Amino acid sequence: MTLYTPSAEVADALATSKPVVALESTIITHGMPYPQNLEVARRVEQDIRDGGAVPATMAVIDGTLHVGLSAAQLEGLAQAKGVAKLSRADMAVCMASGGTGATTVAATMIAARIAGIHVFATGGIGGVHKGAEDSFDISADLLELGQTPVTVVAAGAKAILDIPKTLEVLETQGVPVIAYGQSEMPAFWSRSSGLGAPLQMDNPAQIAQAHAMRKALGLPGGQLVANPIPSEDEIDRATLAPIIAQAQGDAEAHGITGKGVTPYLLQRIYELTEGRSLVANIALVRNNARLAAEIATQLSKTGTPA
Ligand code: PSU
Ligand code: MN
């Protein structure tokens, strides 16, 4: 049984120990509208190449787990309607039944691990939703970070989540949450969350070193690097707070639950900010891709742990 199919570029990079950066595909199918999603997916891949690494966008297409997509596959996914959103729970079922699905952070980490990829760039991770004490809505991304050894570069947790509870779960799971270049935890569209980050690191070489050190210590999980959005692209916290509150009220009024919550809120915030949230989202994903390429490059220099 072939577990996954690497693109030619990814197969070559892995065989010759070149730096590779994993990318998720739920951000393409559920996180942004067409055609911006396709444009961003291509740009982010190019940002990683410009940073000296090889991009590996993950997706399950007709039952095959692809590690690195062709231009046609990327385009097909960006335009497809009704693509499944795959997390740890649904990935194997989708593959076994010949389905097509986009990978979340959790599923992308699983794919990266089996392919031998150590660094992954995304926009935001899933987390503990507000009201989780009633809904129990806690993303599988957090538990994946606790058990799968991949360094994930994200722009912090979105302010649609309960950030303090998200940090608590990550701590319980033994996940280092490392703010990059500042002491505060960033909040996706905003550089500031009002909360201190558990850890701070200021250079990619040290982050790579910490990744290798976890491996040497026999620690199974990953690292979360919280990279603040560039200042020129951020939407400040005060502007966003009432918009997020309204989007959440609307989600509740429409009875949106489970997997539908994050995509609904992202779409609603896009409408309420008249598209500004998308511009910020694009800027932060590209910023994360550049940092991830640097970390992957450092890791391949110091000898990637097996
Ligand atoms: N945050 C975004 N855009 C996204 C997601 C999160 O800004 O597209 C996606 C990611 O794929 C993440 C997933 O892994 O949502 C989390 O979903 P859930 O909360 O249902 O686990
Ligand atoms: Mn959820």
Side-chain angles (χ1 to χ4, degrees):
M1 182 172 73
T2 321
L3 206 48
Y4 66 94
T5 301
S7 66
E9 190 186 18
V10 169
D12 169 71
L14 291 171
T16 56
S17 300
K18 285 194 197 110
V20 179
V21 174
L23 294 165
E24 61 154 308
S25 46
T26 297
I27 192 172
I28 304 171
T29 55
H30 293 69
M32 292 182 187
Y34 180 82
Q36 286 98 331
N37 60 350
L38 178 60
E39 198 183 308
V40 174
R42 286 177 176 152
R43 273 223 207 142
V44 167
E45 289 199 346
Q46 191 54 45
D47 288 330
I48 288 169
R49 289 193 185 95
D50 293 346
V54 170
T57 304
M58 313 289 189
V60 177
I61 301 173
D62 299 329
T64 299
L65 172 59
H66 289 273
V67 175
L69 302 181
S70 68
Q73 286 169 331
L74 201 63
E75 194 161 345
L77 205 61
Q79 295 196 49
K81 299 253 187 301
V83 175
K85 174 178 160 185
L86 305 178
S87 189
R88 164 171 277 260
D90 356 65
M91 193 173 184
V93 168
C94 182
M95 290 167 71
S97 52
T100 293
T103 55
T104 59
V105 168
T108 303
M109 289 179 76
I110 294 167
R113 175 178 51 76
I114 60 174
I117 299 169
H118 302 271
V119 182
F120 164 23
T122 185
I125 59 160
V128 180
H129 278 267
K130 288 181 178 157
E133 57 275 25
D134 295 320
S135 68
F136 277 47
D137 190 347
I138 300 173
S139 175
D141 292 353
L142 302 182
L143 307 191
E144 204 59 53
L145 277 160
Q147 58 184 308
T148 301
V150 174
T151 288
V152 180
V153 182
K158 273 182 304 301
I160 57 175
L161 300 169
D162 187 321
I163 300 178
K165 286 197 179 81
T166 300
L167 290 174
E168 289 298 341
V169 172
L170 287 166
E171 186 186 12
T172 304
Q173 292 293 317
V175 179
V177 179
I178 304 165
Y180 183 66
Q182 67 179 32
S183 59
E184 204 180 336
M185 184 69 190
F188 201 71
W189 302 287
S190 317
R191 289 175 68 81
S192 146
S193 66
L195 294 167
L199 298 162
Q200 174 179 348
M201 288 186 120
D202 301 327
N203 73 72
Q206 274 182 358
I207 296 170
Q209 198 71 50
H211 179 103
M213 191 62 77
R214 287 185 67 85
K215 170 79 183 170
L217 290 168
L219 298 172
Q223 310 190 102
L224 177 62
V225 178
N227 186 27
I229 183 173
S231 342
E232 59 272 25
D233 303 303
E234 81 163 329
I235 310 177
D236 67 54
R237 212 150 43 99
T239 308
L240 266 179
I243 291 172
I244 290 170
Q246 186 179 336
Q248 263 151 352
D250 294 348
E252 217 165 289
H254 287 86
I256 313 287
T257 55
K259 279 178 177 249
V261 173
T262 301
Y264 178 88
L265 291 175
L266 290 177
Q267 174 60 27
R268 198 69 193 106
I269 292 165
Y270 170 74
E271 291 160 12
L272 293 168
T273 59
E274 288 162 359
R276 222 180 124 200
S277 67
L278 181 60
V279 175
N281 199 343
I282 294 169
L284 67 84
V285 178
R286 297 188 65 193
N287 192 47
N288 295 342
R290 289 187 289 264
L291 178 56
E294 286 187 68
I295 296 168
T297 301
Q298 291 298 329
L299 204 51
S300 73
K301 270 189 203 160
T302 55
T304 314

